[in-house]
């Protein structure tokens, strides 16, 4: 039996990826996992509304509420420990996770990125900017990537990827919509694999059993 996942979701926006994972759990497509906490830096985040609708503890925690980084990160850690979180899912979370948290949850934090990492990743590559860059570079393929979070933005080893064709008629908005669909497929799939204990991360290598 694999360790039951007590998941904390970090989200800044709509939370459609959070919702896709929650629906997969509630539909029984993901077993051995439970979302026990949702944290957002944005008090208006749709993700907080969805969490509350599903009676999941939802907390607005923002760096602005604290005088120091240490106080902010201590608050995050106290919530994670308090809810016995053993796995973190970043779902459109626009802030960097402090290295102390990354180390406490080594290889237990994942993120979804709307491009085929390592291309079109790193600082500044978020939201519509990613799709603008993909179209500007005349790529004929794009997609979504689930990766392990480490100390550098979008640099952790890739767990799952799915590609989609970039058509000549695509705009950044139409490409974003196609990629978001893929995100909603591969993110729940990645959580399922972790919940089944089928993902091994050794160094920078990910193996799926
Ligand atoms: C997605 O496009 C994801 O790739 C990026 O932020 C967006 C999150 O959207 N990390 P949502 O809040 O999950 O709807």
């Amino acid at each position: 039996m694999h360790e039951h996942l007590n998941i904390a979701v970090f989200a800044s926006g709509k939370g459609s990826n959070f919702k896709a994972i929650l629906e997969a759990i509630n539909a029984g497509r993901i077993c051995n996992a439970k979302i026990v906490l949702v944290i957002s830096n944005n008090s208006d985040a749709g993700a907080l509304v969805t969490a509350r609708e599903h009676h999941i503890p939802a907390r607005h925690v923002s760096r602005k509420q604290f005088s120091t980084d240490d106080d902010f990160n201590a608050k995050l850690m106290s919530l994670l420990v308090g809810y016995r979180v053993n796995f973190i899912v970043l779902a459109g979370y626009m802030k960097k996770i402090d290295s102390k948290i990354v180390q406490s949850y080594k290889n237990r934090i994942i993120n979804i990125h709307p491009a085929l990492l390592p291309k079109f990743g790193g600082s500044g590559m978020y939201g519509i900017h990613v799709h603008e860059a993909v179209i500007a570079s005349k790529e004929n393929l794009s997609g979504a990537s689930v990766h392990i979070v480490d100390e550098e933005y979008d640099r952790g080893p890739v767990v799952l990827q799915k590609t989609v064709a970039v058509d000549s008629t695509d705009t950044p908005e139409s490409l974003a919509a196609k990629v978001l669909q893929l995100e909603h497929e591969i993110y729940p799939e990645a959580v399922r694999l972790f919940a089944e204990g089928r993902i091994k991360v050794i160094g920078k290598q990910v193996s799926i059993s």
Side-chain angles (χ1 to χ4, degrees):
M1 188 58 187
H2 308 290
E3 186 186 19
H4 179 85
L5 295 189
N6 280 337
I7 298 168
V9 171
F10 284 57
S12 301
K14 271 190 328 298
S16 71
N17 276 287
F18 153 50
K19 221 168 172 174
I21 294 166
L22 181 63
E23 282 163 6
I25 291 172
N26 291 344
R29 292 198 304 276
I30 299 175
C31 303
N32 202 33
K34 184 174 189 300
I35 298 172
V36 297
L37 174 64
V38 174
I39 289 174
S40 182
N41 60 304
N42 169 10
S43 57
D44 299 331
L48 292 177
V49 174
T50 301
R52 291 181 183 122
E53 283 168 354
H54 290 82
H55 314 295
I56 297 170
R59 298 287 183 276
H60 169 224
V61 184
S62 153
R63 171 65 185 77
K64 293 197 286 286
Q65 297 164 326
F66 299 88
S67 46
T68 67
D69 287 350
D70 283 352
D71 290 351
F72 168 57
N73 289 308
K75 175 65 181 173
L76 290 179
M77 275 308 278
S78 73
L79 282 167
L80 294 170
V81 170
Y83 282 95
R84 289 169 184 63
V85 171
N86 59 12
F87 197 82
I88 297 173
V89 170
L90 306 187
Y93 185 65
M94 290 301 150
K95 300 290 177 189
K96 209 161 182 332
I97 299 293
D98 182 80
S99 60
K100 284 192 285 295
I101 297 177
V102 171
Q103 286 314 317
S104 302
Y105 287 89
K106 190 160 184 53
N107 296 332
R108 313 281 294 172
I109 310 180
I110 55 176
N111 182 43
I112 183 95
H113 184 75
L116 296 175
L117 292 176
K119 294 191 333 191
F120 304 106
S123 63
M125 278 294 154
Y126 62 91
I128 202 70
H129 305 302
V130 176
H131 310 294
E132 287 165 348
V134 168
I135 288 178
S137 58
K138 303 204 182 324
E139 298 276 352
N140 51 30
L141 269 187
S142 189
S145 307
V146 178
H147 66 96
I148 300 286
V149 171
D150 64 13
E151 275 80 355
E152 288 173 75
Y153 263 128
D154 303 331
R155 299 305 309 239
V158 170
V159 174
L160 281 184
Q161 274 186 331
K162 196 158 188 181
T163 62
V164 67
V166 182
D167 303 320
S168 54
T169 54
D170 266 318
T171 62
E173 291 70 20
S174 65
L175 180 56
K178 290 199 288 194
V179 170
L180 193 60
Q181 276 305 106
L182 298 186
E183 294 174 38
H184 295 165
E185 291 167 26
I186 65 171
Y187 221 0
E189 175 62 9
V191 172
R192 183 176 69 79
L193 292 170
F194 272 100
E196 293 174 0
R198 294 173 50 193
I199 304 265
K200 292 278 172 291
V201 184
I202 297 131
K204 285 273 184 192
Q205 289 303 318
V206 172
S207 65
I208 300 178
S209 50

